[in-house]
Amino acid sequence: MKIGMIGIGNMGSAVASALAAAGYELVLSNHNLDKARALAKRLSGAEIASNQAIIETCQVIFLGLKPSQIGPFLTDQSASVAKKPQALWISMAAGLGLSQLEAQLPAEAGLIRMMPNTPVAIGQGMTTYALNASARSLDDQTLFEALMVKSGKLLKLPESLLDAATGIAGCGPAFVYQFIEALADAGVQNGLQRADSLTLAAQTLLGAAQLVLDSGQHPAVLRDQVTSPGGSTIAGVVSLEENGFRHATISAVNRAIRRTKELGD
């Protein structure tokens, strides 16, 4: 099965890497041909084709375009879209609802709205998705999960919760990278080499996150296991609370969710 990828920015490229790892044959299209060629070479075997060719020959088409670009794109390609009425369309556009996409696709088309994050490129992603209400949704879900099998974790949600999930999983890696950088800066401030400090910070987050997933314990319980009375950790925890760490994190997610909703308007 050939899988079409229209738009291969950072997120589209990450998804393409996960699809290639699962053994699927990819056909790529991007306004920047040099970027498309570089990705095709890296994924060994991916083809490059026009938007029209992808729409008319691929049964599954991932849309990695910006929300504001998808409407004009589907209008411009309406003749090609009509030639493949039963294709499965998978949109990665933040905030753009299924109903907005359905209005520009054939009634027989399958439709999935997904929000991956960039770690899907290494099989450690978190992808949330929602399906339209068509009768073929179960088959589409099975196919989508097979396509994304090498991407990491998948979570199906009601579409009404997808923007909230985007604020956490879609935008969250950027917040985590900022935290890793801050931890590493503190290490450098106290005499560690930058490379060593980054390794300490990144591996600490990786291990702590894996323990949350593997143990099933609440993060507060796991935190208490590290926090001895009168010790170093509680001193740091108190400092985080004094400086509004929890509030800043919640506010960042809420701001990201609001912006996601705005992008779909």
Side-chain angles (χ1 to χ4, degrees), residues 26 37 41 76 82 84 96 101 132 168-169 183 186 188 190 212 226 238 246 259:
L26 302 182
R37 292 189 186 102
K41 183 177 180 180
D76 183 59
K84 202 83 170 180
L96 194 64
L101 292 162
N132 66 347
I168 298 172
L183 285 174
V188 172
N190 285 276
V212 170
V226 187
V238 169
R246 188 187 305 264
R259 182 57 182 154

Side-chain angles (χ1 to χ4, degrees), residues 4-262:
M5 299 284 304
I6 296 177
I8 47 173
N10 292 332
M11 202 70 82
S13 296
V15 172
S17 297
L19 294 169
Y24 291 101
E25 192 174 348
L26 302 182
V27 188
L28 311 175
S29 172
N30 196 57
H31 70 281
N32 184 332
L33 279 178
D34 289 338
K35 185 171 185 178
R37 292 189 186 102
L39 181 61
K41 183 177 180 180
R42 180 166 64 82
L43 298 181
S44 64
E47 302 174 29
I48 298 173
S50 66
N51 294 334
Q52 180 179 345
I54 287 177
I55 294 170
E56 294 181 5
T57 61
C58 294
Q59 189 59 38
V60 179
I61 302 162
F62 283 79
L63 288 174
L65 304 173
K66 296 179 188 294
S68 61
Q69 296 174 327
I70 288 185
F73 169 80
L74 290 175
T75 298
D76 183 59
Q77 296 290 333
S78 59
S80 296
V81 170
K83 293 179 182 178
K84 202 83 170 180
Q86 294 185 324
L88 173 59
W89 294 80
I90 303 173
S91 169
M92 292 180 266
L96 194 64
L98 289 169
S99 60
Q100 295 166 282
L101 292 162
E102 284 175 334
Q104 292 187 275
L105 292 172
E108 309 96 314
L111 182 58
I112 293 175
R113 178 183 164 193
M114 69 179 291
M115 180 47 63
N117 59 20
T118 51
V120 302
I122 59 167
Q124 293 293 331
M126 182 68 248
T127 298
T128 53
Y129 70 98
L131 292 83
N132 66 347
S134 72
R136 54 180 276 184
S137 289
L138 185 58
D139 289 339
D140 289 342
Q141 178 179 340
T142 301
L143 174 55
F144 177 72
E145 291 177 351
L147 291 171
M148 298 294 289
V149 69
K150 294 292 188 180
S151 69
K153 291 187 178 295
L154 302 174
L155 179 62
K156 181 184 176 184
L157 289 173
E159 189 183 13
S160 60
L161 296 177
L162 216 53
D163 289 342
T166 298
I168 298 172
C171 305
F175 309 152
V176 172
Y177 300 143
Q178 198 163 349
F179 183 43
I180 290 172
E181 184 183 22
L183 285 174
D185 283 346
V188 172
Q189 183 184 25
N190 285 276
L192 287 166
Q193 293 296 314
R194 170 67 65 180
D196 292 339
S197 197
L198 279 171
T199 297
L200 287 167
Q203 181 60 39
T204 297
L205 262 73
L206 178 64
Q210 194 64 56
L211 188 56
V212 170
L213 293 174
D214 289 353
S215 71
Q217 292 183 289
H218 193 283
V221 173
L222 295 172
R223 182 194 61 207
D224 285 348
Q225 292 172 3
V226 187
T227 310
S228 304
S232 304
T233 303
I234 189 60
V237 168
V238 169
S239 179
L240 287 174
E241 293 296 338
E242 288 175 343
N243 287 281
F245 177 77
R246 188 187 305 264
H247 176 73
T249 302
I250 294 171
S251 295
V253 172
N254 287 335
R255 186 75 63 86
I257 292 170
R258 286 200 299 272
R259 182 57 182 154
T260 297
K261 294 180 184 294
E262 292 170 359

